[in-house]
């Protein structure tokens, strides 16, 4: 689809086609999915892609990273904050909305290069009056507190009076469409007119009293920049505030409307200063104008893309889907604030309550470690800042060390609901977050991967070590001694495969627990030798002595793997005794079709799985298993994996690729890449599948380009490009340098820039320059289990 | 359409077809009109006919008589109070609403005999699960604070879990769809869970701090009356409160849902006692049950209909439309509270802000005076209670006496906006309520008519006299002396015909002013002779002496009628000099078609009129004009009246009928009777045309049945039934008795009951028994102008 605007300025702004995602026409039943896909986010604030004028089945969502709260006994959630988007025109009381008018033409275009959402709407009211609305909106990444909407409005066949209402809407709730869970997380404490057409709404979250202040100025001007408002009014309607304006328009004459918005919270400034911060910034913003801010914003994205863009030659569809995944990853990441992490639905929806899962370490971290180390460091630093919560969580569950929670918000304590709603039956089933204990190893794995890739010795010594030791200590206390067999086991857990909710000695959990302890032991030894003062400090802080290390050594050696660690490995104790059903059919997207003979209510009694735990271990720790074992396990579990998680497609693809299953990998890659764009799981409306986005990048770079760090810490490429791809071009930040990589079927070109783009290195430790040589084991890939 | 329910109880409840108004099928674009027509009201509270589960283009409206307030500089309005209707089912999070599901079948039936709104809905969700919802709701007239919804819910083809949310919604506003005027008139001051599943919301109006408390209990039971709720939750979402329940259902098994609601305001009880009043009544209501209350409610309506029903034999359409008009009149009337009046849109919408106009006296009062004198007395007593406001209004405008306001709310002061929004241009035009001064004479006319019909001497002597004297005094000060011609004139007014906004010596205004003064003079003379102590008291109270009475005598004799008072009378000075255009064409409903040669912007420069002022005077005071004059004026003005007001159809019909224009009258009658049912002016969605309803009754009874009071104070009938009507049967309360009247083409039968039904006589003065003989002039019809 060609994007062509009447307003020349808009055509000048728009990037080339490879940067654009289009919505052509208007079908209200598609609103929710486009709201997710057209969400704009700048790491600080995410705003779903609603129409400014409102639509009947919209789901308003404005999420500020780190603003969590809880009420009504529901578990803690990212707060759905007041919706600042509202902007609606009326021709003398006839609202110009798709619900009330005829949509003559509608296009929306997401410009990923600039992170700007463009639109063009020709709308006809009952009396045949046609109005063209063109414009854009953006959430600035130059000043994350700022956002703006710009509209160019042209009456096509009439003269008359237009009315404009600009709304700040505090009536939003969380989980609106699920009355069982619906919750309002804030009260409106101020709803005022500050003069000079400044509307201000301040919300206070119910439990923590976090303040969210949002201010807006709405202006209407003619082509010459003159204010044309002839009547205006500001008013409050309960939790809403409206700025209303009237102005005359003439056929063919374009008027410009802009809404400037500023948001601050009491996480940014002291509580009493929130309003002041909003007003001062808004004044300044109004003085500078929208164009100046847009320019700065676009420049930030230009630098981000210089580091992270991936181009696929020969496959436009894959090229765009991959870019869309990267765009979402950049948008949910916060480069400035280590106290926030990434929620399972990004800043794009309130499903999963904005909480952080193992997705961060397993699916997101590699992308950031290789392209935007500042963000990667924040993501692992977040876990360090949550250590006390994790320690408390361990103590509450009767363990030692740090038991990272399955659902993490702003304290490191477990935020998971104790029950889950089964959508099929509507029944509440108890949920046991403490059984998904493999998250603890995932945090350790994340620290290890981050340090291995970035060589950030500063982080490892000052923060990472403490995490590794405390997680190892947790495992030592969690492992249960089986005296009869002189072995350690872990009973009653849920592995990544959530089809089986109560299993003993899950291979994934047990293996990663051992791995976690081995890495901690290695690190302790290394630090004692190479960085004794750092070691002394952390050991003293957490009271870690030699006898405890010795006990870890013994315990990890005696961990039981019921099905062994080579050949066909059993997912958990007794798995092979379950009814065996094999996937025989796949749909047109190569998605498994549920075997007919298995009743939906009985799948937990079969070997069918949601995700392949054994394959996952081998994917995360490829050097710990031989090729033959990996092939056997992949072949076995792939035929039993229902791929019902957005996480499984990319893992499956990556594992397959490494074993040479190219064509299956491409389909799985595309499925992951398009999970939201094509809504191929049917739930894109709930928010972006951000882990799938990270997985998509991994399949492309770690799979098709075959990039990896070898045993001596060098980058290696083993290209396995899909047959129809001509080349794959991308960038990697590596050891303080930016590498431009171009991979073709049988050639890899790497060009080295002396330093990465300025914005990314500013104030951020990249590489090992500050401290020196990285400790052994963090330089190369993993060593084999003992 | 046949109404046949699955639930036998519902069929038993339903009245015969002549009492029923049906909506068959569901088309969302019709929602607004049905919301008006299916509004239930009990004189105290009016609730628009929304679907309980909500629909996308609904306009929530809950209006409590007398609860007015103002904010944001808007003029005073009846307050749109929290919406208590919300009741929505979900099958495991899938809302069963027409917007989200397929409507397999939908019927709604308004039972006018019982004032109950029935419904039947078969709704199918995306997964093909069909649910049958049947039930009803009512606003009790036995205890006007109580309302209830009852649903019978049957899963037709599934077993499973149902979720129910029951909402009290305080997020409503006034004038929601007009952002220029939209206003929120209250704050929510309490939104609490009172235990035992009692939800409570208390609103405080913004300026007067009137409290509105609404409480609700929602129950779910099986057929045996057992509570089947397995999980429930009460929660607040900003201005909303929700009661949530979950329960299991089985295919073919019906569950019963009921929502019991109680409303009190600080107009009913002291401010601190509002919550207590709600809770106590709600507790009692819950103990008594819905069926008992329904039974009492239906009994009240049975007695009301015993007095007011009209039956047309031979014309089912007219029969039903007439009954619908009467039903609305009964519903907007308050028999208990003389501090409230009837708004121009009833309790059915917030258009015209719930304010009272001359409609009450001219269009509504005759119906009540002849069928329900207690209400009629309240309506005129309201004007007495507003006397101080009217005096203040006079003083503020530089006059004496009582200047009743064009728009009246709760003080008697002028509530009209000083500007009006022209819907065509969107421009605000100044408005001059003080020019529509004819309202003052309408109030006097109402008092006179009420006393003449009911012979309520008590009211006349104690209250009515003061109104008549103070209005006469107003006119004496308002009339301007033209020394050059030794005459009195009234310049710069707007007559009933609002096409001409600034005229001098409007015939309607001048004539009624004189009439008002003559009635006052007559009454003063009468009271001095017959009731000297009453006269002395009122004269002393308002400082009325003989010299003032003499000056009134002189002034009224010198009032100018520029076009004379016989033959072709000129509507106002200079009217005949305006461009003359005559209506040549009528549409299929006999509604005038705008003459092509008249530009819409220029109609004020022509003789085209909205309503015929001269004909109106002759209609109100038929004995003051000779037949020839009336015929000439009717013929002239009828061809220039655009019938653009819902008030004009009935006036035109009645005037025509009295002159023998039978066929035209029937069409005008039907137009007025169906103005809402058939939405023939296209604005029924805004609320009921209550004046048209009153006019409809007048055409039927005063026109077709030709009922009137003759010169000696006897009821007379001069039937002029439409050709195809077999008979017209109705009741009249006359001199303390109930008359059953049956009018046929050339026969009138009257049967006299010794006393009217109990409810109507309770504590209400009907007839003159208490004081004695009515003063002369109030016994018979009007005497001729001097």
């Amino acid at each position: 689809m060609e994007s062509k605007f009447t307003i020349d300025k808009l055509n000048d702004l728009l990037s080339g086609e490879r940067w654009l995602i289009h919505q052509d026409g208007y079908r209200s039943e598609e609103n929710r999915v486009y709201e997710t896909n057209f969400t704009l986010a700048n790491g600080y604030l995410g705003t779903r892609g609603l129409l400014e004028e409102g639509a009947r089945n919209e789901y308003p969502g404005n999420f500020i990273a780190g603003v969590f709260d809880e009420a009504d006994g529901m578990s803690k959630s990212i707060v759905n904050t007041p919706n600042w988007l509202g902007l609606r025109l009326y021709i003398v009381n006839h609202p110009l909305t798709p619900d009330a008018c005829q949509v003559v033409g509608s296009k929306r275009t997401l410009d990923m290069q600039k992170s700007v959402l463009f639109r063009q709407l020709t709308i006809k009211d009952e009396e045949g009056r046609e109005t063209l609305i063109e414009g854009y909106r953006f959430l600035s990444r130059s000043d994350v507190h700022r956002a703006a909407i710009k509209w160019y409005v042209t009456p096509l066949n009439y003269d008359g009076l237009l009315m404009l209402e600009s709304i700040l809407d505090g009536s939003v709730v969380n989980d609106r469409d699920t009355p069982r869970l619906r919750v309002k997380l804030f009260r409106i404490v101020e709803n005022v007119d500050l003069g000079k057409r400044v509307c201000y709404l301040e919300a206070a979250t119910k439990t923590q009293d976090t303040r969210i202040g949002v201010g807006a100025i709405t202006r209407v001007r003619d082509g010459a920049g003159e204010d044309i408002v002839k009547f205006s009014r500001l008013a409050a309607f309960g939790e809403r505030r409206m700025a209303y304006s009237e102005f005359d328009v003439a056929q063919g004459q374009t008027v410009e409307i802009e809404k400037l918005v500023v948001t601050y919270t009491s996480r940014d400034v002291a509580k009493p200063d929130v309003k002041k911060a909003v007003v001062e910034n808004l004044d300044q913003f109004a003085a500078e104008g929208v164009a100046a801010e847009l320019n700065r914003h676009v420049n930030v994205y230009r630098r981000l893309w210089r580091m992270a863009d991936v181009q696929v030659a020969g496959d436009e569809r894959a090229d765009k889907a991959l870019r869309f995944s990267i765009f979402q990853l950049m948008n949910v990441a916060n480069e400035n604030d280590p106290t926030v992490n990434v929620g399972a639905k990004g800043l794009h929806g309130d499903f999963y309550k904005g909480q952080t899962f193992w997705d961060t370490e397993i699916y997101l971290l590699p992308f950031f470690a290789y392209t935007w180390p500042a963000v990667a460091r924040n993501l692992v630093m977040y876990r360090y800042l949550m250590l006390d919560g994790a320690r408390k969580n361990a103590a509450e569950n009767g363990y030692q060390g740090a038991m990272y929670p399955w659902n993490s918000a702003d304290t490191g304590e477990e935020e998971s609901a104790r029950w889950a709603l089964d959508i099929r039956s509507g029944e509440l089933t108890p949920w046991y977050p403490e059984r998904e204990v493999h998250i603890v190893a995932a945090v350790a794995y994340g620290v290890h991967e981050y340090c291995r890739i970035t060589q950030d010795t500063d982080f490892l010594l000052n923060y990472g070590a403490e995490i590794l030791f405390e997680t190892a200590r947790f495992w030592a206390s969690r492992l249960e001694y089986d005296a009869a067999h002189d072995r350690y086991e872990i009973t009653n857990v849920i592995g990544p495969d959530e089809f089986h909710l109560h299993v003993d000695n899950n291979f994934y959990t047990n293996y990663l627990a051992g791995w976690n302890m081995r890495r901690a032991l290695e690190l302790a030894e290394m630090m004692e030798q190479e960085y004794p003062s750092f070691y002394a400090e952390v050991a003293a802080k957490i009271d870690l002595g030699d006898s405890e290390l010795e006990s870890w050594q013994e315990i990890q050696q005696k961990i039981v793997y019921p099905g062994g660690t080579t050949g066909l490995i059993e997912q958990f104790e007794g798995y092979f005794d379950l009814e065996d059903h094999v996937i025989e059919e796949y749909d047109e997207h190569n998605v498994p079709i549920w075997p007919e003979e298995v009743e939906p209510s009985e799948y937990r009694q079969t070997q069918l799985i949601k995700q392949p735990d054994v394959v996952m271990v081998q994917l995360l720790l490829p050097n710990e298993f031989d090729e033959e074992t990996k092939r056997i396990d992949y072949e076995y579990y792939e035929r039993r994996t229902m791929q019902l998680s957005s996480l499984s497609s990319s893992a499956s693809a990556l594992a397959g690729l490494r074993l040479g299953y190219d064509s299956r990998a491409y389909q799985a890659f595309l499925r992951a890449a398009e999970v939201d764009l094509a809504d191929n799981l049917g739930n894109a409306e709930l928010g972006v599948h951000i882990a799938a986005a990270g997985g998509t990048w991994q399949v492309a770079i770690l799979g098709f380009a075959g990039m990896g760090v070898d045993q001596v810490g060098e980058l290696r490429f083993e290209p396995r490009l899909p047959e129809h791809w001509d080349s794959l071009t991308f960038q990697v930040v590596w050891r303080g340098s930016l590498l431009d990589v171009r991979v073709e079927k049988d050639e890899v070109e790497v060009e080295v820039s002396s330093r990465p783009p300025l914005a990314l290195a500013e104030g951020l430790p990249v590489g090992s320059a500050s401290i020196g040589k990285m400790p052994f084991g963090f330089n190369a890939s993993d060593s084999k289990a003992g």
Side-chain angles (χ1 to χ4, degrees), chain A residues 535-748:
Chain A
Y535 181 71
E537 192 177 334
V538 66
K541 180 180 177 192
I542 66 170
D543 195 19
L544 179 66
D546 286 351
S547 65
E548 187 171 0
L549 291 172
E550 279 156 28
S551 77
W552 295 0
Q553 189 62 265
E554 190 194 330
I555 292 169
Q556 67 87 13
Q557 281 166 346
K558 292 184 177 171
I559 294 175
V560 65
Y561 304 103
T565 61
T566 56
L568 183 58
I569 298 172
E570 190 173 31
Q571 181 168 300
F572 54 80
E573 210 168 321
Y575 172 82
F576 288 141
D577 302 333
L578 297 176
E579 269 179 53
D580 194 18
H581 297 275
V582 170
I583 296 160
E584 302 284 0
E585 288 181 289
Y586 294 81
D587 71 10
E588 71 275 22
H589 303 294
N590 220 355
V591 174
I593 291 172
W594 199 276
E596 254 181 41
E597 70 276 15
V598 180
E599 288 291 317
S601 60
E602 290 167 8
Y603 65 93
R604 295 195 196 280
Q605 280 81 58
T606 74
Q607 288 187 36
L608 292 175
I609 54 179
K610 186 177 168 195
Q611 282 169 268
D613 289 5
V614 174
V615 175
M616 196 71 194
V617 175
Q618 296 164 355
L619 188 65
L620 295 178
L621 307 170
N623 297 322
E624 305 212 2
F625 299 88
D626 62 67
E627 283 299 296
E628 181 60 13
T629 294
K630 286 191 273 193
R631 186 171 305 279
I632 289 168
D633 288 325
Y634 179 82
E635 286 285 358
Y636 188 86
Y637 287 107
E638 183 73 1
R639 295 193 59 196
R640 287 157 182 82
T641 305
M642 291 306 302
Q643 308 283 10
L644 277 179
S645 160
S646 69
L647 306 184
S648 51
S649 290
S650 61
S652 175
L654 201 50
L657 266 176
R658 289 186 177 165
L659 295 166
Y661 298 101
D662 290 16
S663 68
R664 235 186 238 178
Y666 177 73
Q667 277 188 301
F669 162 78
L670 214 54
R671 228 162 42 226
E674 294 189 336
V675 64
D676 294 312
L677 270 184
D679 192 20
N680 58 37
L681 286 180
N683 59 3
E685 62 172 277
L686 301 175
V688 73
H689 291 84
I690 199 67
T696 296
W697 183 90
Q698 289 188 46
V699 177
I701 307 305
L702 310 184
F704 295 138
M707 187 178 87
V709 185
D710 70 10
Q711 304 275 354
V712 293
E714 295 290 331
L715 268 190
R716 290 273 167 194
F717 298 89
E718 291 177 47
R720 306 172 200 95
L721 292 193
E723 196 56 42
H724 63 293
W725 286 19
D726 297 326
S727 68
L728 181 64
T729 312
F730 58 95
Q731 291 90 45
V732 181
V733 176
W734 183 248
R735 307 285 189 258
S737 294
L738 183 71
L739 312 186
D740 282 297
V741 184
R742 181 185 170 81
V743 174
E744 294 182 8
K745 295 248 154 34
D746 34 32
E747 193 179 69
V748 178

Side-chain angles (χ1 to χ4, degrees), chain A residues 172-213:
Chain A
V172 295
V173 294
N174 277 70
D175 277 310
R176 189 187 65 182
D177 292 346
T178 314
R180 163 69 113 145
L181 306 175
R182 187 191 302 145
V183 63
K184 175 102 188 175
L185 292 174
F186 61 83
R187 276 177 291 270
I188 294 295
V189 291
E190 273 204 86
N191 180 347
V192 291
D193 156 15
L194 297 178
K196 295 189 286 180
R197 291 199 209 153
V198 177
C199 288
Y200 180 74
L201 213 57
E202 189 168 313
T205 66
K206 283 188 175 170
T207 302
Q208 301 189 25
D209 195 37
T210 303
R211 298 305 174 95
I212 302 131

Side-chain angles (χ1 to χ4, degrees), chain A residues 21 54 73 97 129 229 250 270 324 335 381 438 484 570 613 656 663 706 719 722:
Chain A
I21 304 288
T97 66
R129 293 172 294 203
V229 173
F324 181 76
E335 64 272 40
M381 185 63 89
H438 64 82
E570 190 173 31
D613 289 5
S663 68

Side-chain angles (χ1 to χ4, degrees), chain A residues 68 283 309 352 452 544:
Chain A
F68 287 93
D283 276 352
D309 190 26
Y352 291 125
R452 189 173 72 93
L544 179 66

